[in-house]
Amino acid sequence: MKGLFIVSGLGILAMLAEIFKFKKLVYPLVLIGLIAAYAVNFTEWNFDWSQGNPYPLFANMIRFDNPALAFSGVILAVAFFWFIFANDYFKNETNITDHFALVLFTLTGALMLTAYQNMVTLFLGIEIMSIPLYVLAASRKNDMSSNEAGFKYLIMGSFATGFLLFGIALVYGATGTFDISLISAKIAAAHGALPIFCYAGILLMLVAMCFKVSAAPFHFWAPDVYQGSPTVITAFMSTIVKTAAFAAFMRLFLFGFGPAHDKWATGLSVIIALSLVISNITAAAQTSVKRMLAYSSISHAAFMLMAILANNGDMSVPPILYYTFAYSIGSITAFAILYAISKSEGHDGFDAFNGLGKRNPLIAACMVIAMLSLAGIPITAGFFAKYYIFTTLMATTYKWLLILAVLTSAVGVYYYFKVIIAMYFKSSAKSEAVAFDSTTTALVVITSLLTLAIGFVPNFIIDMLR
Amino acid sequence: MLTGLLIIFPLIAAILVFLTKGKTARNAALVLSVLEFIISLLVFYQFKHNPGAKELLLNCTWIESLGIKFAVGIDGISLLMVMLTTFLVPLIILSSYKNEYDKPNSFYGLILLMQMALVGVFIANDGFLFYIFWELALIPIYFICLLWGGEDRGRITFKFFVYTLLGSLFMLVGLVFLYQHTGGATGIKSWALNDLYAAGKNLSLYQQSFVFWSIFVAFAIKMPIFPFHTWQPDTYVTAPTQGTMLLSGIMLKMGTFGLIKWLMPIVPLALAKWGNTAMMMSVFGIIYASCIAIAQKDYKRLIAYSSIAHVGLIAAGILAFNQQGLQGAVIQMLGHGVNVVGLFLIADILFRHTGTRNIDSLGGIRNVNPQFAVLFLIVLLGSVALPLTNGFVGEFLLISGIYKYGAWTAAIAGLSVILGAVYMLRSYQNIMLGEVKTSTAGFGELAKSDKAVLIIVCAAIIAFGVYPKPLNDVTEPAVKALLENLK
Amino acid sequence: MLLNIPLTQYLFYFLSFVALLCGLMVVFSKNPVHSVLYLVLTFFAIAGHYILLNAQFLAIVHIVVYAGAIMVLFLFVIMLLNLNHDSEPHKNMLLKGAAVLAGGLLLMVLTGSLKGAETLAMHQPLNTQVGLIKNLGTVLFKDFLFPFEISSILLLGAMVGAVMIGKKEIK
Amino acid sequence: MIKLIGLVPLFPLIGFLINGFIGKKLSKGVSGAIGSFSILASFVVSLLIFIELNGSAQKSHVVDLFSWISSGNLQVPFSFLVDPLSALFLLIITGIGFLIHVYSVGYMHEDEGFSRFFTYLNLFVFFMLLLVLGNNYLIMFVGWEGVGLCSYLLIGFWFKNTAYNNAAKKAFVINRIGDLGFLLGIILIFFTFNTISYGEVFKLANTGIAAQGTITAIALLLFIGAMGKSAQIPLYTWLPDAMAGPTPVSALIHAATMVTAGIYMIVRSNIFYSMSDVASETVAVVGAATALFAATIGMVQTDIKKVLAYSTVSQLGLMFLALGAGAYSSAVFHVATHAFFKALLFLGAGSVIHAMGGEQDIRKMGALKKALPVTFFTMAIGTIAISGIPPFSGFFSKDEILAHVYEENKLLWFIGSVTSMLTAFYMFRMFYLTFFGKFRGTHEQEHHLHESPKSMTVPLIVLAILAALGGVMGLPEFWGTHNWIADYLSPLIYRKNPSILSHETEWVLMGLAVAAAAVSIYTAYNVYRKNNILPAAKEEDMGGAERFVYHKYKVDEFYEAVITKPLNLISEAFYKFFDLKIVDGIVNGTGQAVNWFSELIRKLQTGNIGFYILAMVAGIVAILFTSLF
Amino acid sequence: MNNILLQSSIQVIPINWYILLSAALFTIGALGVMFRRNAIIIFMCIELMLNAVNLLLVAFSSFHSDAAGQVFVFFIMAVAAAEVAVGLAILTMIYRNVKSIDIDLLGNLKN
């Protein structure tokens, strides 16, 4: 809770920086603030909500229980890495303070999404997160791609919001409340006897959430937006925003609509299957690494959705938590490298990576780790994430999805390895090393090591919520 | 603890080698791998004298909440596989002394890393750990092939990687399925080998069939047996010789080893139902690959196909699942490992000295280098399973085992004895005999390192052909235990 | 006969008709300015519904915010960009057909899901006071305090964003 | 002494190792001496063992060396068995082996691969000794394959010649076909009796615990092995080609010892054949067919070694005929006498070839009597012996066989008799063409004609004596004499058929055989000596039938067309079509399908917001519809 | 008259009709989004969709006699306003660049 306040406060502070002329200080302040938020976050760990209340409960609008704190932790940690990676971006942009503010507001929305307990907070969280993102996506004003990305994101996002709201309204109509725990209780008590429009509402919300996490067939915006947005923002979207969206999705469907599982599971399983197939297969044909990563994020979304599909209540949370973290740090590594490379080579195609194995061996090795992790090869974090999802899903009746997941993973290896092959197998006309500043190098090395470390010793994260 | 050391030491060695520069890398790698061999000898000694010793077991918690442990242990079969690995890796490193690789530190480091993974696969007692090592073995070899391989390596190694990865993903599905069914009464799920065994037996036929096929495919691809083999010849040809040796000498055994220890005892019902199909695949593969080997011109490719034939026999022996079949399989795995390293080294020597591997353009090398001819002949005899070479003991037990399963199956599998002689002798004749050709006139003397490796290989071939008893003694209790387990 | 039916019902039908018709006109009128005006009409119709539903305060806010602010913003942009002529090229017919089809299906599915709504029991006794300003205020500042406060961040974000985007790039 | 049986194979092994490792550095004399004396040492030990065995009451001694293979109840100790059969074979192998080694010192003197030759030869003797000494089938199999290997090495001894290499390869591969049968037989024995040690197996078999079918199967599988090693139809084609090796090799391996391994094996396993009529009849029929078939081919061959090779095949067929008729000791008897005279003949032929400077075509020889007196004399003895003229050794052994066959089956007896007639004819044909008439070679050859050195002639003389007198081992019992070899081997023969022939019949049969041989010899004399008719010099001059026989009934061509070519075709088809196109095609096709599909799906991402939203609505409708209704 | 007006419509109109009406309005909005190429009209259609939701919420709010539904509508309005502000800002920016607000011209990012 305090973390949320700190982050939103930071956002406002960043805005003020313009006026009070301490622009230079904003960056360090933000980093410190994030660390503080992170630290504060965990002081609330294991807080007993039934007992006395040092914080205002806000009528059960928002509740930073353990899963929420864990996801907040992931978001804050990744945000910290992201800010380090994005330092170059913040140096170059003209409207630094605005950017800072927008990013931090988005972050606020993301944190809300991890902890909401009410449809209002869900809705507001999504919008607080999304609206600044629309702007950020479009933030390169003279770049048509960026404009287009922002615009597409906005239109489709608002359209999806419409469905979300319609769904909320229907559910509200059927249950008479916006509180998700009350909704859950009502659904459970009704034993399927609620009016059908209630389930229609749930499904509409499912669709809207699937849109937010970019699952097929509601994924169309993602590749375009990811590609058009500035790389740094793409990284932000594919890590923090995605994590938050999943936290929200999970909270809503596991803790809210869990009792109506039979109504939405079939639809979700189809969505997962479609996402797996479409994302992996389309990614295989990409020539741009950035766009490939966009498609890959769809396939990762499908994996995380599997845990939700399993509907194991609390047991479904750790897999998603782990997955989001593993995926986020892997993506941060990949995007950080991609950012530097595309800046130096002038494009983000696979050929931009040619010969990197010789030119920047260390960076190339980190990229390999990131790719292996995204592809789900042991002992990287990505493997354990997938494994954990597998075990979760294996207990359900949706085993056929696993087979599909396995088959499409093999396709997935194809496009991740295209990068590796380009780095080590193809030769580049240039032989000098691509310039990487020391912060990026350090970040990339740290995230790579982290990828290996949590892949090898995943205990900490998975046992967090026990 | 010793077993832990077996795994950790190559890792440390790999890191050390990564840190070296230039030619010291290979010397360091050689010394370190020999040290690892010595460690494995210690393990062997321990095992012989006190098989239940604590030193041989390691059981640390790893991911406790998911029932995953870092559990390793040694039985007769895994001991031999470990010995094979630790024995072959120094040879493989030594055999590379005449090849100039750039970035030798990475090259040798990757080999040692691979050694770690291989040893891990062989001694893992925990399903998850097994899978991790299984996959881990794939990465170094992929890079060895990709970075130091020959023509068209990008495409070929990629195919190899995806193919095997796909297989192992299916294996993961199968293993996870098993894992989900562990812990019947207590409800505490576990990855421990014995728990998986127990879980497997309680499954229905339908479930067992699912487990059987999902895991079998992974092993079948790794070995590889027909019809999952098409990645193999290309990969063997393209990979640098040391990579090929690792692949065929050791990595292939992961598949057969897995079949013995991680599949057959788990799914008795499915085995009864599907064993026939798998057996037919293996046996057909023997004939099929042997025939194809006859048609080969490229010597390396010829060995590649012959390896498919051999491994088909091993798989068939395992699938027969009886004392002779299993023991034969284990011994043949060792034999094949040693032989195939010898054969691939010979292919490499041929290529280095003459610039070609096409057997039709070679000939008459015996005139120029009779010593090489003799060493070659011994390796070749080992691979055609002449009695008193290591190949024979295994092959005899294998065919016996298969015979117990079905007489006609054994007869067909036994055809490999004949076809093997056909293609092996044909290649020997084309390469070594006849008049000297221009390509071979300047063949010259063997390098000291090559000669050393070949002599060691030949010595091993004969030694274990004449006196295989230690191997039999070590495997017998392990195999008996496995068979007991199935009852 | 007519008197048996309460006036409310007539009003409901009338307002619904207006709302739907104007809604359709928003979609189908060629000139964007007309669209805006139709939309305003729709909003008024909806406001009428609000009043019928005893949500008087909301009705006023609705008029103020939508018709008064948002629609003016729209008009402003249209005028600013000089778009007040029907120059919009048509979508290709296939896509149009598909759009109509999809829209129809959506409606069908949504109405189809109404089945069983009769079982829903109205809250008794009906409290006609919920829409009054006092009541709403209490709820808003008690239960909905947190969303209320946090929506400031939303508006702030939107403001910053709009300003940032709207600013001319300094080159 | 019997306990020291290990020494017997050890000496050749030592010889092999010395020659193999440092032979090149030794002088030819030393190298040859090591080779020869290692065999001599073995011979001496064998002789001592033989004597000791004869003296002792216990006729079978097992000497365990170490445990070789053990797997469950499959226990294969590396152990030796000394009994009358193995002792006799030891003597034959080491004795004749020694003589041939000595002979080779002279014969191979000019060859650059001198020490290599002795290396191989010693290795061969080692394996041959293992073969006969082993106490179980697997040890026999070790020797069995080992001698096959040595045969391969020695046939291809002159490895620069592609034809020789092909012959060597052919020999190895065909032997392997037999070996597979043998191996399966061993495995069947194991699974039937749970052991493969001779003593236990035979004891158990004798109690009749195994089904008749199993016994037959075992017997037939073992016989397949024998067919390969002992060159019986249909696996005989390698043996004539094996003449590519140096002549001493032909004498030792392809006449005296290795090729008789099949007979040894069947005699060893006689119980199975006695118990299965089907098996023994098969053996007899195959033997008879081979004997006749090879003899007819031998009639028209012009290469001196080929004549002898076909004669060997034919004689081996005769031995199998004997085995099939249950005359196990007679077969062994014939093995021994055949070893004497056939080794003699080959060595004599070698001497001739040596003198002729490598020429092997009898059409180019003639009148060598004068130039090579010792050779002529000894070969005359060999020829007479093989033709079955009393009192030379061949007469007794062959007659014994035919008498036993007569008892069993008259038709087979007739075939056997015809074969002996033909044998006498073609042997004398060869003999006359070689030593009589006019010299038909070049001047240069005539100039160089010389008798071979002592090292070659002495073995010839020794063998001639043996060939002449070897018959004493098995004098017919109806003469009232003692048939030593039958008695000697009787402990090994599990089921004996008492002879039912009357003495009169036996006399008649014997007389018929001798008469037939005499007629043949006379015919040969008439044609080749008196009228000096030469075989056609060129193929074109031969008659159609003769040419067909000269080409060995085109069996090789037949095999080529039926086995080799289809195998190569299948291989190519498997590789080029099935493997690359179909199996790999499916794998690559999957990849390509993914690519194709990928390009297709990619098109969905049109970039058009309208389309995206449409797709989204369509998705929503579909999901609502499927989930709710 | 007063008496009639005071009678809440929710008492005489079945809730189904409201849902139907909202659904119809919502669909009209969605149709507009799919149907038109003019970005501004698309925004308006989205507003129409949101209003349909608002109407539904208010209807349910009355139905349940629960103020929360109406409060929710305030938030939706706020969000709608914010969205429109940002949307129109982006739109003008695009217009500045391409001199058009035809969404079909935005198709550079694809495949």
Side-chain angles (χ1 to χ4, degrees), chain C residues 118-137:
Chain C
E118 311 82 49
T119 60
L120 206 61
M122 196 187 289
H123 185 269
Q124 297 295 350
L126 188 72
N127 180 1
T128 52
Q129 309 299 310
V130 287
L132 295 184
I133 194 158
K134 182 180 158 206
N135 203 349
L136 285 180

Side-chain angles (χ1 to χ4, degrees), chain B residues 134 167-168 170-172 174-175 208-228 255-256 258-260 262-264 267 271 274-282 315-316 318-319:
Chain B
W134 175 277
S168 33
F170 276 113
M171 172 166 87
L172 182 63
L175 288 176
Q208 286 198 9
S209 306
F210 173 74
V211 173
F212 175 78
W213 282 110
S214 55
I215 299 181
F216 181 75
V217 164
F219 296 153
I221 291 173
K222 203 69 142 200
M223 288 191 255
I225 61 177
F226 178 86
F228 303 106
T256 45
L259 205 52
I260 294 175
W262 291 94
L263 182 58
M264 309 292 291
V267 286
L271 203 60
W274 297 108
N276 276 326
T277 317
M279 179 67 109
M280 264 157 63
M281 276 159 59
S282 316
I318 297 170
L319 286 163

